Amino acid sequence: MDKDSPKQIKGLKKTNATRMKLWLGIYFPKLGIEIFEKRISTHKDRPIVLIENNKVQLLNDQAEIRGIRKGNNIATAYSLVTNLMHFEKDYSEEQIQLKKIAALAYRYTPLVSISEPSVLLLDVAKSLRLFGGLRILVKELGQSIDKLGHSAFLGISHTPLGAIALAKSQKKFQVPKKVNDFPNSKQLKQMSMNSLSEVSTKHTELEKKTIERLSNMGIFQLGKLFQLPRKELGRRFNKSLIEYLDKLTGTLLDPQLFETPHPKFCSSLHLMESVMNKQTLIQPMKHLTDELIRWLNIHQLRCSQIIWSFKSISGEHQEVEVKFALSRSTAESILNLTSLTLDKAEMPEEVISIILTATNTESLNKSNFNSPHLFGAPFTEDNPSGDFIDQIIARLGKDCLQNIQCHEDHRPEYAWSPGIPTSHLSSNHKVELPFQSRHRPLWLLEPARNINPRKLELINGPERLDGGWWETHTVRDYFIARDQDGALCWVYRNT
């Protein structure tokens, strides 16, 4: 190993041939407290604070209006607001929520990375032409985040650390209107460096002691830090500062670990208060259903079966299965059928946790729907027969309906079988029977009865049916006959 190996391990120098990336950083300043706000079905207007080490780490607008500030201890907060609600910071839940948001970001780019504790990084360089430019992409992404109920700030830069710093500093970035304006590596880097020069060092990923030392030197913004000679900085500070600046400016490559989308959907919601009324459960269930719909849209799927799991404080567990005659991908239809199923389901007395799992899914191109253009009008779920079957099954149970399925077999007793009532809706295969144009009775006697041929008047026949050679070879001559009471019969004799 040569003497330069340690430097090569820490990072790679950028070459001119390296493709310039366009990084979009999304900073969620109140992610920790927004997680708990979603769990509260009542008292949504109450002041809420997030506690870490017995001090206020985050607070909502209602708490800030009443005078609570970050850094207050819990006793001071309660002295200012008597009806305050507080929760302990939960890093694991925040990471779970970030992964859920990352799954949504796959709609805009497959290159999504999580930067702990509350930042997402997106490389959108190859997605600009698809969305018609950076301005439209940023607008649609912001609208999607708003629908999730999260507040976020976006930063755009030529490096991941630059995007993070600009997002945390809430610096506005002048987004070009034309598609061809990006990617332009020189323009992007120049605009990014100009914006970064105005960013305060407190919004960087530097260590606190490093920021304090820089403040003592009168350096509060990155622009002044960029002007200092690197050799002098290296002497006064450790190598981590130089490495950070190199990655921030793009001199040193900063590879990211991209997230992999989960192939199956399973999400849970822990309620802050136990719920004893089924109607009260609908609102938190709607949050999970909306999350499922977003996952289905991103993966170009529909679901034909879901399972709701309800857990009580005592540990009691109840599952409710909901099947659909046709696969679905709208929250309204899924919630309506779920509500009908819940009406007859036995639930735990005090539900504290809800889990939604999509057990059966299928791709859009396999669904029995009108085929739209790739970026055209959405699929429709207008099928009265399927809706009627779903509603009957939801009210009366899955065994209340049956359908008759046809099979390609000449023997009448094997040419049909009972089946699920939705098979004719979900299948594109139509069984062509060799005798379907001939007269056949509505039902067969099981087992067939012996009859005296003298009591019958043969009207039509014989028709020979030969089949079942792979099992028990059957050869029969069938006739249409009239009995003594004038009823038409279908009779046969073995040959």
Side-chain angles (χ1 to χ4, degrees), residues 443-454:
W443 68 84
L444 301 175
L445 295 176
E446 182 63 35
R449 297 178 185 177
N450 291 324
I451 190 171
N452 189 347
R454 296 178 182 178

Side-chain angles (χ1 to χ4, degrees), residues 149-418:
H150 292 294
S151 57
F153 297 100
L154 275 62
I156 303 170
S157 179
H158 65 299
T159 63
L161 289 178
I164 294 174
L166 290 173
K168 288 186 175 181
S169 65
Q170 304 176 26
K171 288 288 183 182
K172 291 186 178 180
F173 191 94
Q174 188 64 33
V175 181
K177 295 182 179 180
K178 297 181 180 179
V179 180
N180 295 332
D181 286 346
F182 280 94
N184 183 322
S185 58
K186 292 183 179 180
Q187 181 189 19
L188 172 61
K189 184 175 181 179
Q190 184 62 42
M191 296 177 70
S192 177
M193 293 299 295
N194 291 341
S195 299
L196 286 172
S197 297
E198 301 175 2
V199 173
S200 171
T201 55
K202 67 179 182 180
H203 297 306
T204 65
E205 307 301 301
L206 295 173
E207 298 178 358
K208 288 185 178 180
K209 61 180 183 180
T210 302
I211 296 175
E212 291 178 0
R213 289 183 60 187
L214 290 173
S215 300
N216 295 334
M217 296 170 57
I219 300 174
F220 301 96
Q221 293 180 322
L222 287 174
K224 291 185 177 181
L225 190 58
F226 292 154
Q227 295 173 2
L228 298 178
R230 294 297 173 88
K231 291 184 178 180
E232 294 297 326
L233 284 176
R235 293 174 184 175
R236 294 194 179 190
F237 297 88
N238 53 29
K239 293 182 180 180
S240 61
L241 173 60
I242 304 302
E243 184 177 342
Y244 173 81
L245 292 176
D246 286 343
K247 289 182 177 180
L248 181 68
T249 57
T251 305
L252 192 66
L253 288 179
D254 187 13
Q256 301 296 309
L257 181 62
F258 296 113
E259 292 292 308
T260 303
H262 202 280
K264 294 184 178 180
F265 178 86
C266 182
S267 184
S268 61
L269 185 63
H270 186 77
L271 307 177
M272 302 310 303
E273 301 173 347
S274 59
V275 176
M276 295 178 285
N277 186 356
K278 291 181 180 179
Q279 288 301 118
T280 310
L281 288 173
I282 296 299
Q283 186 59 34
M285 291 172 69
K286 185 180 184 303
H287 287 302
L288 291 175
T289 305
D290 291 339
E291 189 178 327
L292 168 63
I293 298 306
R294 288 190 292 268
W295 183 87
L296 290 172
N297 291 337
I298 291 169
H299 291 79
Q300 296 290 292
L301 296 174
R302 292 176 177 268
C303 66
S304 56
Q305 180 178 338
I306 59 175
I307 293 179
W308 292 95
S309 301
F310 302 92
K311 294 182 179 180
S312 66
I313 297 177
S314 61
E316 184 182 357
H317 180 83
Q318 178 66 37
E319 289 189 350
V320 177
E321 182 184 77
V322 183
K323 289 185 177 181
F324 309 116
L326 291 174
S327 55
R328 297 180 180 271
S329 62
T330 62
E332 182 180 2
S333 61
I334 292 176
L335 275 178
N336 288 341
L337 293 172
T338 296
S339 180
L340 291 175
T341 307
L342 283 182
D343 289 341
K344 65 182 183 64
E346 295 183 3
M347 303 288 290
E349 292 185 359
E350 297 183 344
V351 176
I352 196 65
S353 182
I354 308 174
I355 302 173
L356 175 59
T357 306
T359 51
N360 287 336
T361 58
E362 61 183 31
S363 61
L364 288 178
N365 58 353
K366 292 183 180 179
S367 300
N368 189 24
F369 298 95
N370 297 326
S371 297
H373 298 292
L374 180 60
F375 303 108
F379 289 90
T380 61
E381 294 184 355
D382 186 14
N383 192 302
S385 299
D387 294 339
F388 176 76
I389 291 174
D390 280 337
Q391 292 174 14
I392 294 296
I393 292 178
R395 290 183 180 276
L396 304 180
K398 61 182 179 180
D399 298 327
C400 67
L401 292 177
Q402 278 191 330
N403 183 34
I404 296 178
Q405 294 179 328
C406 295
H407 303 288
E408 294 176 340
D409 198 312
H410 289 279
R411 297 168 296 174
E413 63 269 32
Y414 296 106
W416 69 278
S417 67

